Amino acid sequence: MASAKERAQAFKDDGNKAFAAHDWALLARVTNSEKANIKSEAYGYAIADATKAIELDPNFVKAYYRRAVAYTAILKSRDALRDFKTVVRKAPNDKDAKLKLAECEKIVKRVEFFRAIEVGDEPSAAEGLDLDSMVVDEDYDGARLEKEMTTEFITDMLERFKNGKKLHKKYVYQIILAVKKIVYDEATMVEMEIPDDAQLTVCGDTHGQFFDLMELFRLNGFPTEKHYYLFNGDFVDRGSWSTEIALLLYAYKWLRPASFFINRGNHETDDMNRVYGFEGECKAKYNDRTFKLFSESFSALPLATLVGKKYLVLHGGLFSDDKITLDDIRKLNRHNQRQPGQAGLMMEMLWTDPQTEPGRGPSKRGVGMQFGPDVTKRFCENNGLDAIIRSHEVRMEGYEEEHDGKCITVFSAPKYCDSTENKGAYINIGPDYKLEFHKFDAVPHPNIKPMVRISPEYHQC
């Protein structure tokens, strides 16, 4: 049996290996530190650890600071404000803390402003938008879009985006409005079969990493009539090219509505977009109306896709109640609730995570909850499924099979936020419904910083 000294050295070695590999999730498990938990987006754990530290030492300023950071990340800005005020009071000469306090005060005021103006019958951002009268200048050097999407227009769009160019705003509006109508009419849980002469590729989070998505397409092929694609949410925020990815996915959805699928993720929501960069990017590259139109289209996106009655694909995970079935998802009227809120079926579909322990537990994120292998097994058995496929979390190899293979995570943003040395992955599914996992590495991209509102000190993008 190893001595205490040997165990301590092994513990230290594991931590050093995890740090060297930028494997923040493993580092969090090894060290259980607030900083590692924040890096791995385990904000709930970070808050719990910081709270324990504060209970042991009420003057431990770093614990207040890290708890404030974690609260900000999960949009609990009032709690964050309280802790930042404590940091400034206990460390009045800390200039960085004062800056963070000022940032947090702005966020709180902004959140309160949007809450104050939210009304149920707010007019659409499309109201008064006359596309027919909008003129595309003769000196616009891109392909022209008429009444329908074309492969030629998408090819030209890709080249424009690679070269740092934008679309004309008329085309941006056209694409968003066309896709909003298409996805609004789809079921909350889209049900599809893979034809004998086709295959489906399931992709996880891409988070604005446009050049890595281009690498995925280079390796695996672009969408065609026989090559279906399903993007499982979180295609915006954090990366520097969220508008490019959103417009590209929407263009493909318009071109091939019956063979290109998009699920909503927890980042296709207003509160996340205001904090993690997409709103700012829309306004900087286009205008405020573009963000509002995207927001309306995000709330129209399906929440899940049932593939061949064998795999339920949804962004987050399973539910706090074992009685929930596929029929409950079918019956969910997502159009009555634009944003997921803090509880309920929609929130759980977008936010929950698997855990290794049986049963259910508190969320490491501080939002939603976690579900164990027994929960997954019961859900699959009750609904006749082989497995659930979800995204929502970095995996160092790009994917992971958990819960005896019944819970599969796929994540398609390699070298996530340029700070985690993970691979990206995608899953190919043929007409036999066998799963083929493919990994890929990040590729170089222009050095353009994302327009994120969260401080880069505690989140690298």
Side-chain angles (χ1 to χ4, degrees), residues 45 81-83 89 215 280 305 316 340 361 400 406 432 437:
Y45 289 171
L81 183 62
R82 181 192 64 229
D83 279 347
R89 187 175 70 250
E215 175 69 359
T305 302
E400 186 174 1
K406 292 185 179 299
D432 58 359
F437 299 96

Side-chain angles (χ1 to χ4, degrees), residues 40-51:
S40 67
E41 299 181 17
Y43 302 117
Y45 289 171
I47 291 166
D49 292 343
T51 300

Side-chain angles (χ1 to χ4, degrees), residues 222-412:
F222 285 84
T224 67
E225 289 182 357
K226 301 299 182 182
H227 191 164
Y228 294 15
Y229 269 86
L230 166 56
F231 282 81
N232 195 28
D234 279 17
F235 46 91
V236 301
D237 280 341
R238 293 204 169 110
S240 302
W241 296 273
S242 290
T243 56
E244 285 80 1
I245 286 186
L247 288 167
L248 177 61
L249 299 190
Y250 275 24
Y252 274 121
K253 181 63 180 176
W254 188 5
L255 180 67
R256 308 189 190 283
S259 61
F260 193 93
F261 307 95
I262 307 173
N263 286 342
R264 188 179 190 178
N266 66 303
H267 274 270
E268 281 73 55
T269 54
D270 285 355
D271 51 3
M272 300 297 278
N273 294 160
R274 287 170 182 148
V275 173
Y276 285 97
F278 184 60
E279 180 188 41
E281 185 181 328
C282 284
K283 290 180 177 179
K285 292 179 179 177
Y286 297 102
N287 52 33
D288 183 53
R289 174 174 254 165
T290 297
F291 171 68
K292 289 179 177 177
L293 288 172
F294 266 126
S295 170
E296 292 176 20
S297 72
F298 289 167
S299 68
L301 288 170
L303 301 178
T305 302
L306 183 63
V307 178
K309 298 182 176 62
K310 291 179 176 290
Y311 304 106
L312 176 66
V313 185
L314 73 174
H315 182 72
L318 295 180
F319 311 100
S320 55
D321 186 349
D322 275 339
K323 295 178 182 177
I324 297 298
T325 68
L326 295 181
D327 276 340
D328 292 302
I329 302 174
R330 289 185 181 100
K331 294 173 185 174
L332 177 63
N333 187 344
R334 69 192 188 279
H335 302 311
N336 286 343
Q337 183 184 350
R338 282 197 58 202
Q339 305 301 323
Q342 295 294 312
L345 205 61
M346 183 188 296
M347 182 278 291
E348 292 180 348
M349 293 176 73
L350 299 181
W351 275 99
T352 61
D353 295 295
Q355 64 182 23
T356 56
E357 301 82 6
R360 294 176 173 87
S363 170
K364 63 185 176 184
R365 300 173 187 270
V367 182
M369 59 93 193
Q370 296 182 175
F371 57 96
D374 54 331
V375 175
T376 303
K377 181 180 179 182
R378 286 193 297 270
F379 182 83
C380 288
E381 288 177 350
N382 292 342
N383 292 279
L385 298 173
D386 287 359
I388 66 164
I389 299 175
R390 40 93 62 182
S391 302
H392 196 38
E393 292 181 282
V394 177
R395 291 293 188 262
M396 293 306 290
E397 293 302 309
Y399 74 94
E400 186 174 1
E401 297 178 89
E402 301 171 81
H403 296 182
D404 297 319
K406 292 185 179 299
C407 179
I408 298 160
T409 299
V410 59
F411 193 84
S412 303

Side-chain angles (χ1 to χ4, degrees), residues 413-425:
K415 200 171 184 179
Y416 179 46
C417 294
D418 288 333
S419 68
T420 303
E421 296 300 325
N422 64 293
K423 294 183 180 296

